[in-house]
Amino acid sequence: MKIAMIASEALPLCKTGGLADVIWSLSHELSKMGHEACIVLPFYKIIKDRPAMALRRLGSYEVRLSWRKQNADIFLWEYLGVKFYLIGNDYYFNRENLYGYDDDGERFAFFALSVQRLFPFLNLPVDVIHVHDWQAGMVPVLIKEQSLGEEVYQNTRFVMTLHNEAFKGYLDRYFLNHFFGLDDRIYESGAVRFDDMVSTLKSGIVYSDKVVAVSPSHAKELLSPGDPMRLDGVLRLRDRDFCGIVNGVDVEEFDPMNDPFLPKNYGVTSFVSGKEACRKKLCFDYELENDDAPIFGLVSRLTFQKGIDLALKVGESILRHGGKFIVLGSGEEELQRQAQRLRDAYPTRCAIYIGYNNQLAHDIYAASDFFLMPSLFEPCGIGQMIAQRYGSLPIVRAVGGLKDTVVGFNGKNADVATGFSFVDYDLGALKATVEKALTVFADGKTMRKLIHNAMKTDHSWRKSAQAYLKLY
Ligand code: GLC
Protein backbone atom coordinates (compact mmCIF):
# COMPACT_ATOMS: atom_id res chain seq x y z
CA MET A 1 0.00 0.00 0.00
CA LYS A 2 1.22 3.52 -0.78
CA ILE A 3 0.71 5.92 2.10
CA ALA A 4 1.66 9.59 2.25
CA MET A 5 1.88 11.36 5.61
CA ILE A 6 1.25 15.09 5.35
CA ALA A 7 2.46 16.92 8.43
CA SER A 8 4.21 20.00 9.69
CA GLU A 9 6.97 18.17 11.57
CA ALA A 10 8.68 14.79 11.66
CA LEU A 11 11.75 13.28 13.20
CA PRO A 12 14.61 13.16 12.49
CA LEU A 13 14.33 16.47 10.63
CA CYS A 14 12.27 18.87 12.71
CA LYS A 15 10.39 18.68 15.98
CA THR A 16 8.54 20.84 18.45
CA GLY A 17 6.39 18.13 20.03
CA GLY A 18 5.11 14.56 20.02
CA LEU A 19 3.66 14.93 16.53
CA ALA A 20 7.18 14.66 15.09
CA ASP A 21 7.79 11.35 16.86
CA VAL A 22 4.49 9.92 15.67
CA ILE A 23 4.93 10.85 12.01
CA TRP A 24 8.34 9.25 11.86
CA SER A 25 7.65 6.14 13.94
CA LEU A 26 4.37 5.30 12.24
CA SER A 27 5.87 5.73 8.76
CA HIS A 28 8.92 3.70 9.68
CA GLU A 29 6.82 0.92 11.17
CA LEU A 30 4.56 0.79 8.10
CA SER A 31 7.59 0.60 5.86
CA LYS A 32 9.07 -2.21 7.98
CA MET A 33 5.76 -4.03 7.45
CA GLY A 34 6.33 -3.85 3.70
CA HIS A 35 4.32 -0.76 2.77
CA GLU A 36 5.54 2.30 0.96
CA ALA A 37 5.23 5.19 3.36
CA CYS A 38 6.44 8.67 2.53
CA ILE A 39 6.43 11.89 4.53
CA VAL A 40 5.73 15.34 3.10
CA LEU A 41 7.09 18.31 5.04
CA PRO A 42 7.88 21.97 4.50
CA PHE A 43 11.58 22.44 3.76
CA TYR A 44 12.31 24.52 6.86
CA LYS A 45 15.54 26.39 7.49
CA ILE A 46 16.47 23.95 10.24
CA ILE A 47 16.38 21.15 7.64
CA LYS A 48 18.31 23.21 5.09
CA ASP A 49 21.00 23.91 7.66
CA ARG A 50 21.56 20.24 8.47
CA PRO A 51 25.07 19.27 7.49
CA ALA A 52 25.64 16.59 4.88
CA MET A 53 22.11 15.81 3.78
CA ALA A 54 22.06 13.76 0.60
CA LEU A 55 19.19 15.64 -1.03
CA ARG A 56 17.91 15.25 -4.55
CA ARG A 57 16.16 18.13 -6.23
CA LEU A 58 13.23 16.77 -8.20
CA GLY A 59 12.10 19.99 -9.81
CA SER A 60 9.68 22.76 -9.10
CA TYR A 61 6.21 23.98 -9.96
CA GLU A 62 4.20 27.10 -9.55
CA VAL A 63 1.57 27.43 -6.85
CA ARG A 64 -1.01 30.19 -7.02
CA LEU A 65 -2.52 31.82 -3.99
CA SER A 66 -4.93 33.99 -5.87
CA TRP A 67 -2.82 36.69 -7.58
CA ARG A 68 0.36 35.61 -5.81
CA LYS A 69 2.55 33.15 -7.63
CA GLN A 70 4.98 31.14 -5.55
CA ASN A 71 7.35 28.38 -6.50
CA ALA A 72 7.37 25.03 -4.75
CA ASP A 73 10.83 23.44 -5.03
CA ILE A 74 10.64 19.74 -4.40
CA PHE A 75 13.45 17.81 -2.76
CA LEU A 76 13.72 14.14 -1.91
CA TRP A 77 15.56 12.67 1.05
CA GLU A 78 15.56 9.01 2.02
CA TYR A 79 16.09 7.65 5.47
CA LEU A 80 15.83 4.02 6.58
CA GLY A 81 13.50 3.11 3.75
CA VAL A 82 11.19 6.12 4.16
CA LYS A 83 11.05 8.84 1.50
CA PHE A 84 10.75 12.45 2.62
CA TYR A 85 9.39 14.94 0.09
CA LEU A 86 10.37 18.44 1.16
CA ILE A 87 8.46 21.42 -0.14
CA GLY A 88 10.80 24.37 -0.46
CA ASN A 89 9.97 28.04 -0.66
CA ASP A 90 12.37 30.48 0.97
CA TYR A 91 9.79 33.19 1.48
CA TYR A 92 7.58 30.93 3.59
CA PHE A 93 9.93 28.41 5.17
CA ASN A 94 13.44 29.83 5.39
CA ARG A 95 12.80 31.17 8.90
CA GLU A 96 14.28 30.49 12.32
CA ASN A 97 11.24 28.67 13.76
CA LEU A 98 8.71 26.18 12.49
CA TYR A 99 5.69 28.23 13.57
CA GLY A 100 4.65 31.27 15.51
CA TYR A 101 4.46 33.78 12.65
CA ASP A 102 1.58 36.12 11.85
CA ASP A 103 1.25 34.57 8.42
CA ASP A 104 1.21 30.91 9.55
CA GLY A 105 -2.23 30.58 7.97
CA GLU A 106 -0.84 31.63 4.61
CA ARG A 107 2.33 29.54 5.01
CA PHE A 108 0.33 26.37 5.50
CA ALA A 109 -2.17 27.34 2.81
CA PHE A 110 0.84 27.35 0.49
CA PHE A 111 1.91 23.99 1.94
CA ALA A 112 -1.54 22.42 1.36
CA LEU A 113 -1.75 23.81 -2.17
CA SER A 114 1.72 22.45 -2.92
CA VAL A 115 0.74 19.02 -1.60
CA GLN A 116 -2.32 19.02 -3.86
CA ARG A 117 -0.01 19.42 -6.86
CA LEU A 118 2.78 17.17 -5.56
CA PHE A 119 1.42 13.74 -6.48
CA PRO A 120 0.46 14.66 -10.05
CA PHE A 121 3.90 16.28 -10.36
CA LEU A 122 5.61 13.09 -9.13
CA ASN A 123 3.16 11.00 -11.12
CA LEU A 124 2.73 8.98 -7.95
CA PRO A 125 -0.64 7.34 -7.33
CA VAL A 126 -1.31 7.13 -3.60
CA ASP A 127 -3.74 4.84 -1.80
CA VAL A 128 -3.92 6.85 1.39
CA ILE A 129 -3.23 10.48 2.07
CA HIS A 130 -2.94 10.72 5.82
CA VAL A 131 -3.11 14.29 7.08
CA HIS A 132 -2.22 15.49 10.56
CA ASP A 133 -3.55 18.49 12.47
CA TRP A 134 -4.64 21.88 11.19
CA GLN A 135 -1.58 22.49 9.04
CA ALA A 136 -2.63 19.71 6.66
CA GLY A 137 -6.41 19.92 7.08
CA MET A 138 -7.08 21.62 3.73
CA VAL A 139 -5.42 18.88 1.68
CA PRO A 140 -8.49 16.58 1.50
CA VAL A 141 -10.71 19.59 0.83
CA LEU A 142 -8.57 20.80 -2.06
CA ILE A 143 -8.18 17.41 -3.67
CA LYS A 144 -11.83 16.41 -3.26
CA GLU A 145 -13.12 19.76 -4.47
CA GLN A 146 -10.65 20.37 -7.29
CA SER A 147 -8.47 17.41 -8.24
CA LEU A 148 -10.56 14.26 -8.32
CA GLY A 149 -10.06 14.11 -12.09
CA GLU A 150 -6.31 13.56 -11.64
CA GLU A 151 -5.15 10.06 -12.55
CA VAL A 152 -3.04 9.70 -9.39
CA TYR A 153 -6.01 10.34 -7.10
CA GLN A 154 -8.34 7.75 -8.60
CA ASN A 155 -8.00 5.35 -5.68
CA THR A 156 -6.99 7.76 -2.95
CA ARG A 157 -8.66 7.78 0.45
CA PHE A 158 -8.10 10.33 3.18
CA VAL A 159 -7.39 9.81 6.85
CA MET A 160 -6.97 12.61 9.35
CA THR A 161 -5.33 12.18 12.74
CA LEU A 162 -5.96 14.80 15.40
CA HIS A 163 -2.98 15.37 17.67
CA ASN A 164 -3.82 18.69 19.14
CA GLU A 165 -7.36 19.95 18.73
CA ALA A 166 -6.65 23.11 20.67
CA PHE A 167 -5.29 24.53 17.40
CA LYS A 168 -8.17 25.04 15.02
CA GLY A 169 -6.30 26.62 12.10
CA TYR A 170 -8.52 29.68 11.84
CA LEU A 171 -8.55 31.69 8.64
CA ASP A 172 -10.68 34.60 7.63
CA ARG A 173 -13.59 33.52 5.41
CA TYR A 174 -12.22 35.67 2.64
CA PHE A 175 -9.15 33.45 2.29
CA LEU A 176 -11.21 30.44 1.26
CA ASN A 177 -11.45 31.87 -2.18
CA HIS A 178 -8.44 34.14 -2.01
CA PHE A 179 -5.88 31.47 -1.05
CA PHE A 180 -7.49 28.25 -2.14
CA GLY A 181 -9.79 29.23 -4.97
CA LEU A 182 -12.60 27.41 -3.14
CA ASP A 183 -16.24 28.30 -3.49
CA ASP A 184 -17.98 30.21 -0.75
CA ARG A 185 -20.79 27.66 -0.75
CA ILE A 186 -18.71 25.26 1.39
CA TYR A 187 -18.55 28.05 3.95
CA GLU A 188 -22.26 28.77 3.66
CA SER A 189 -23.09 25.09 4.10
CA GLY A 190 -21.04 25.01 7.30
CA ALA A 191 -18.63 22.35 6.02
CA VAL A 192 -15.51 24.41 6.70
CA ARG A 193 -16.96 26.96 9.12
CA PHE A 194 -16.19 27.14 12.82
CA ASP A 195 -16.69 30.16 15.10
CA ASP A 196 -17.60 32.20 12.03
CA MET A 197 -14.19 31.60 10.56
CA VAL A 198 -12.74 28.94 8.32
CA SER A 199 -11.12 26.24 10.47
CA THR A 200 -8.65 24.09 8.58
CA LEU A 201 -8.87 21.52 11.40
CA LYS A 202 -12.64 21.19 11.08
CA SER A 203 -12.35 21.18 7.28
CA GLY A 204 -10.06 18.16 7.48
CA ILE A 205 -12.47 16.38 9.82
CA VAL A 206 -15.38 16.97 7.48
CA TYR A 207 -13.59 16.00 4.26
CA SER A 208 -11.51 13.01 5.38
CA ASP A 209 -12.88 9.50 4.96
CA LYS A 210 -11.71 8.47 8.42
CA VAL A 211 -10.83 10.54 11.45
CA VAL A 212 -8.61 9.35 14.29
CA ALA A 213 -7.89 10.60 17.78
CA VAL A 214 -4.59 9.45 19.28
CA SER A 215 -6.19 7.39 22.06
CA PRO A 216 -9.58 5.73 22.60
CA SER A 217 -10.22 7.67 25.82
CA HIS A 218 -9.50 10.95 24.14
CA ALA A 219 -11.85 10.01 21.29
CA LYS A 220 -14.59 9.55 23.90
CA GLU A 221 -13.74 12.87 25.54
CA LEU A 222 -13.91 14.67 22.21
CA LEU A 223 -17.38 13.27 21.60
CA SER A 224 -18.76 14.35 24.98
CA PRO A 225 -21.05 17.36 24.94
CA GLY A 226 -19.33 20.26 26.64
CA ASP A 227 -15.81 19.01 25.86
CA PRO A 228 -13.49 22.03 25.97
CA MET A 229 -12.25 21.38 22.41
CA ARG A 230 -15.83 22.05 21.20
CA LEU A 231 -15.55 19.52 18.38
CA ASP A 232 -18.22 17.17 19.78
CA GLY A 233 -20.86 18.45 17.34
CA VAL A 234 -18.84 17.92 14.18
CA LEU A 235 -17.32 14.66 15.42
CA ARG A 236 -20.73 13.24 16.26
CA LEU A 237 -21.65 13.79 12.63
CA ARG A 238 -18.62 11.68 11.73
CA ASP A 239 -19.28 9.18 14.48
CA ARG A 240 -19.16 6.10 12.28
CA ASP A 241 -15.83 7.10 10.80
CA PHE A 242 -14.20 8.30 13.98
CA CYS A 243 -12.11 6.21 16.36
CA GLY A 244 -9.15 6.35 18.72
CA ILE A 245 -5.83 4.60 18.08
CA VAL A 246 -3.21 4.96 20.75
CA ASN A 247 0.30 5.96 19.68
CA GLY A 248 3.32 3.85 20.42
CA VAL A 249 6.90 4.83 21.14
CA ASP A 250 10.07 4.09 19.24
CA VAL A 251 11.18 1.08 21.27
CA GLU A 252 14.57 0.99 19.57
CA GLU A 253 15.47 4.55 20.43
CA PHE A 254 14.05 4.24 23.92
CA ASP A 255 15.52 1.00 25.13
CA PRO A 256 17.42 1.10 28.44
CA MET A 257 19.13 -2.15 27.46
CA ASN A 258 20.79 -0.59 24.40
CA ASP A 259 20.69 3.14 25.05
CA PRO A 260 24.07 4.69 24.16
CA PHE A 261 23.29 7.78 26.24
CA LEU A 262 23.29 5.89 29.54
CA PRO A 263 26.36 5.27 31.71
CA LYS A 264 25.05 1.77 32.34
CA ASN A 265 22.44 -0.21 30.43
CA TYR A 266 19.81 -2.23 32.21
CA GLY A 267 16.73 -4.38 31.72
CA VAL A 268 13.92 -5.83 33.82
CA THR A 269 16.30 -8.02 35.81
CA SER A 270 19.02 -5.44 36.33
CA PHE A 271 17.24 -2.14 36.86
CA VAL A 272 18.27 -1.68 40.50
CA SER A 273 21.98 -1.35 39.76
CA GLY A 274 21.37 0.21 36.33
CA LYS A 275 19.17 3.01 37.58
CA GLU A 276 21.53 3.58 40.52
CA ALA A 277 24.43 4.21 38.09
CA CYS A 278 22.27 6.55 36.02
CA ARG A 279 21.17 8.41 39.14
CA LYS A 280 24.80 8.94 40.27
CA LYS A 281 25.78 10.30 36.89
CA LEU A 282 22.85 12.68 36.67
CA CYS A 283 23.50 14.00 40.20
CA PHE A 284 27.16 14.48 39.36
CA ASP A 285 26.50 16.22 36.01
CA TYR A 286 23.97 18.62 37.49
CA GLU A 287 25.73 19.10 40.84
CA LEU A 288 22.92 17.63 42.88
CA GLU A 289 23.35 15.98 46.27
CA ASN A 290 24.09 12.33 45.78
CA ASP A 291 21.73 10.79 48.32
CA ASP A 292 18.97 8.18 48.21
CA ALA A 293 16.07 10.62 48.09
CA PRO A 294 13.50 9.90 45.35
CA ILE A 295 13.95 11.77 42.09
CA PHE A 296 10.92 13.21 40.29
CA GLY A 297 11.49 13.95 36.61
CA LEU A 298 9.59 16.05 34.12
CA VAL A 299 10.31 16.23 30.38
CA SER A 300 7.73 18.27 28.56
CA ARG A 301 6.76 21.31 26.62
CA LEU A 302 6.15 23.87 29.36
CA THR A 303 2.58 24.80 28.54
CA PHE A 304 -0.69 24.91 30.41
CA GLN A 305 -1.88 21.80 28.54
CA LYS A 306 0.71 19.71 30.32
CA GLY A 307 -0.34 20.75 33.83
CA ILE A 308 3.03 22.39 34.45
CA ASP A 309 1.55 24.84 36.95
CA LEU A 310 0.46 21.91 39.15
CA ALA A 311 3.72 20.04 38.55
CA LEU A 312 5.82 23.01 39.69
CA LYS A 313 3.70 23.50 42.78
CA VAL A 314 3.96 19.87 43.77
CA GLY A 315 7.67 20.09 42.89
CA GLU A 316 8.08 22.74 45.55
CA SER A 317 6.49 20.47 48.15
CA ILE A 318 8.61 17.49 47.02
CA LEU A 319 11.75 19.60 47.42
CA ARG A 320 10.62 20.90 50.80
CA HIS A 321 10.30 17.32 51.98
CA GLY A 322 13.77 16.33 50.83
CA GLY A 323 13.04 14.86 47.38
CA LYS A 324 14.74 15.88 44.15
CA PHE A 325 13.15 17.43 41.10
CA ILE A 326 14.51 17.68 37.56
CA VAL A 327 12.79 19.55 34.75
CA LEU A 328 13.64 19.61 31.05
CA GLY A 329 11.62 21.60 28.55
CA SER A 330 10.75 24.99 27.21
CA GLY A 331 7.63 26.95 26.53
CA GLU A 332 5.62 29.66 28.25
CA GLU A 333 7.89 32.28 29.79
CA GLU A 334 6.08 32.51 33.09
CA LEU A 335 6.34 28.75 33.62
CA GLN A 336 10.03 28.86 32.72
CA ARG A 337 10.55 31.59 35.29
CA GLN A 338 8.66 29.68 37.97
CA ALA A 339 10.81 26.63 37.30
CA GLN A 340 13.99 28.68 37.56
CA ARG A 341 12.82 30.16 40.86
CA LEU A 342 12.49 26.64 42.24
CA ARG A 343 16.05 25.87 41.30
CA ASP A 344 17.27 29.08 42.91
CA ALA A 345 15.53 28.09 46.12
CA TYR A 346 16.88 24.49 46.12
CA PRO A 347 20.09 24.59 44.06
CA THR A 348 21.42 21.24 45.26
CA ARG A 349 18.17 19.31 44.92
CA CYS A 350 16.60 20.76 41.83
CA ALA A 351 17.86 21.05 38.24
CA ILE A 352 16.10 22.96 35.50
CA TYR A 353 17.11 22.88 31.87
CA ILE A 354 15.21 25.24 29.61
CA GLY A 355 15.43 24.01 26.02
CA TYR A 356 15.83 20.64 24.45
CA ASN A 357 18.60 18.22 25.28
CA ASN A 358 18.37 14.64 24.12
CA GLN A 359 21.13 13.37 26.39
CA LEU A 360 19.45 14.88 29.43
CA ALA A 361 16.03 13.53 28.40
CA HIS A 362 17.43 9.99 28.35
CA ASP A 363 19.25 10.62 31.65
CA ILE A 364 16.06 11.81 33.32
CA TYR A 365 13.99 8.84 32.16
CA ALA A 366 16.66 6.45 33.40
CA ALA A 367 17.65 8.14 36.65
CA SER A 368 14.29 9.24 37.98
CA ASP A 369 12.04 7.16 40.20
CA PHE A 370 8.87 9.00 39.23
CA PHE A 371 7.81 10.91 36.14
CA LEU A 372 5.31 13.77 36.53
CA MET A 373 2.66 14.30 33.88
CA PRO A 374 -0.43 15.86 35.46
CA SER A 375 -1.82 17.10 32.13
CA LEU A 376 -4.93 19.23 31.89
CA PHE A 377 -5.69 17.42 28.64
CA GLU A 378 -3.60 14.84 26.82
CA PRO A 379 -4.63 13.36 23.48
CA CYS A 380 -2.04 10.62 23.90
CA GLY A 381 1.23 11.64 25.50
CA ILE A 382 4.56 9.97 24.89
CA GLY A 383 6.69 10.74 27.95
CA GLN A 384 4.65 8.45 30.21
CA MET A 385 5.28 5.50 27.89
CA ILE A 386 9.01 6.16 27.61
CA ALA A 387 9.22 6.60 31.39
CA GLN A 388 7.63 3.19 31.91
CA ARG A 389 10.19 1.55 29.65
CA TYR A 390 12.95 3.07 31.76
CA GLY A 391 11.31 2.05 35.03
CA SER A 392 10.36 5.57 36.08
CA LEU A 393 6.82 5.33 37.41
CA PRO A 394 4.54 7.91 35.81
CA ILE A 395 2.33 10.04 38.03
CA VAL A 396 -0.44 11.13 35.69
CA ARG A 397 -3.83 12.67 35.61
CA ALA A 398 -6.28 10.04 34.30
CA VAL A 399 -7.16 11.88 31.13
CA GLY A 400 -6.97 11.00 27.41
CA GLY A 401 -4.09 8.76 26.46
CA LEU A 402 -2.67 8.87 29.97
CA LYS A 403 -5.71 6.92 31.10
CA ASP A 404 -5.16 4.32 28.38
CA THR A 405 -1.45 3.79 28.90
CA VAL A 406 -0.86 3.92 32.67
CA VAL A 407 -2.42 1.56 35.21
CA GLY A 408 -2.65 3.54 38.44
CA PHE A 409 -1.74 1.82 41.72
CA ASN A 410 -4.70 1.64 44.10
CA GLY A 411 -3.15 -0.26 46.98
CA LYS A 412 -4.46 -3.62 45.78
CA ASN A 413 -3.33 -4.01 42.18
CA ALA A 414 0.43 -4.31 42.56
CA ASP A 415 0.29 -7.18 40.07
CA VAL A 416 -0.67 -4.93 37.20
CA ALA A 417 -0.05 -1.30 38.24
CA THR A 418 2.55 0.65 36.25
CA GLY A 419 2.28 4.06 37.88
CA PHE A 420 -0.06 6.39 39.75
CA SER A 421 -3.05 8.37 38.64
CA PHE A 422 -5.58 10.88 39.93
CA VAL A 423 -8.70 12.39 38.45
CA ASP A 424 -9.39 15.98 39.51
CA TYR A 425 -7.21 18.72 38.15
CA ASP A 426 -6.18 20.19 41.49
CA LEU A 427 -3.11 20.42 43.62
CA GLY A 428 -4.67 18.49 46.52
CA ALA A 429 -5.34 15.46 44.33
CA LEU A 430 -1.83 15.54 42.88
CA LYS A 431 -0.23 15.97 46.31
CA ALA A 432 -2.14 12.98 47.68
CA THR A 433 -0.94 10.91 44.73
CA VAL A 434 2.66 11.96 45.24
CA GLU A 435 2.31 10.92 48.87
CA LYS A 436 1.01 7.54 47.78
CA ALA A 437 4.02 7.22 45.48
CA LEU A 438 6.37 8.07 48.36
CA THR A 439 4.80 5.36 50.52
CA VAL A 440 5.43 2.85 47.74
CA PHE A 441 8.99 4.16 47.37
CA ALA A 442 9.59 3.50 51.06
CA ASP A 443 8.31 -0.06 50.64
CA GLY A 444 11.03 -1.29 48.29
CA LYS A 445 9.27 -4.52 47.37
CA THR A 446 6.12 -2.94 45.93
CA MET A 447 8.22 -0.30 44.22
CA ARG A 448 10.29 -2.97 42.48
CA LYS A 449 7.15 -4.84 41.44
CA LEU A 450 5.64 -1.72 39.89
CA ILE A 451 8.87 -0.92 38.08
CA HIS A 452 8.95 -4.44 36.75
CA ASN A 453 5.35 -4.15 35.46
CA ALA A 454 6.05 -0.76 33.89
CA MET A 455 9.18 -1.95 32.09
CA LYS A 456 7.39 -4.99 30.70
CA THR A 457 4.46 -3.09 29.21
CA ASP A 458 4.40 -3.24 25.42
CA HIS A 459 4.26 0.28 24.01
CA SER A 460 5.71 -0.59 20.62
CA TRP A 461 4.27 0.84 17.41
CA ARG A 462 3.42 -2.53 15.98
CA LYS A 463 -0.10 -2.79 17.38
CA SER A 464 -0.95 0.81 16.51
CA ALA A 465 0.45 0.51 12.99
CA GLN A 466 -1.68 -2.59 12.49
CA ALA A 467 -4.76 -0.69 13.66
CA TYR A 468 -3.97 2.08 11.15
CA LEU A 469 -3.50 -0.45 8.37
CA LYS A 470 -6.87 -1.94 9.11
CA LEU A 471 -8.39 1.51 8.90
CA TYR A 472 -6.59 2.29 5.62
C1 GLC B 1 0.23 16.22 20.67
C2 GLC B 1 -0.56 15.82 21.92
C3 GLC B 1 0.05 14.61 22.62
C4 GLC B 1 0.27 13.48 21.61
C5 GLC B 1 1.08 13.99 20.42
C6 GLC B 1 1.28 12.93 19.36
O1 GLC B 1 1.46 16.74 21.03
O2 GLC B 1 -0.62 16.91 22.82
O3 GLC B 1 -0.80 14.15 23.64
O4 GLC B 1 0.99 12.45 22.24
O5 GLC B 1 0.43 15.08 19.82
O6 GLC B 1 0.07 12.40 18.90
Side-chain angles (χ1 to χ4, degrees), residues 9 16-23 132-133 161-165 167 213-215 218 245-248 301 303 305-306 373 375 377-385 400-402 461 468:
E9 48 184 276
T16 68
L19 171 64
D21 300 76
V22 172
I23 301 303
H132 299 266
D133 280 355
T161 294
L162 312 174
H163 301 265
N164 199 336
E165 309 82 11
F167 297 101
V214 285
S215 67
H218 191 56
I245 298 178
V246 75
N247 293 329
R301 279 183 288 131
T303 79
Q305 174 202 335
K306 300 289 179 180
M373 212 162 156
S375 302
F377 66 94
E378 195 63 79
C380 181
I382 294 175
Q384 82 281 12
M385 294 192 267
L402 296 173
W461 262 102
Y468 269 111

Side-chain angles (χ1 to χ4, degrees), residues 20 50 52 56 71 144 148 183 217 251 290 311 387 424 428 436:
R50 263 170 84 98
R56 227 170 78 207
N71 259 9
K144 284 191 169 175
L148 281 184
D183 199 311
S217 288
V251 290
N290 182 18
D424 293 332
K436 200 196 285 176

Side-chain angles (χ1 to χ4, degrees), residues 125-145:
V126 264
D127 300 305
V128 178
I129 293 190
H130 189 159
V131 302
H132 299 266
D133 280 355
W134 73 268
Q135 293 93 338
M138 290 311 281
V139 172
V141 186
L142 286 166
I143 296 178
K144 284 191 169 175
E145 290 288 342

Side-chain angles (χ1 to χ4, degrees), residues 370 409 420 432-444 446-447:
F370 302 105
F409 179 60
F420 302 85
T433 314
V434 164
E435 267 156 37
K436 200 196 285 176
L438 289 173
T439 316
V440 169
F441 183 81
D443 160 17
T446 313
M447 183 77 186

Side-chain angles (χ1 to χ4, degrees), residues 405-421:
T405 56
V406 176
V407 182
F409 179 60
N410 61 14
K412 290 183 275 231
N413 61 348
D415 285 351
V416 291
T418 63
F420 302 85
S421 67

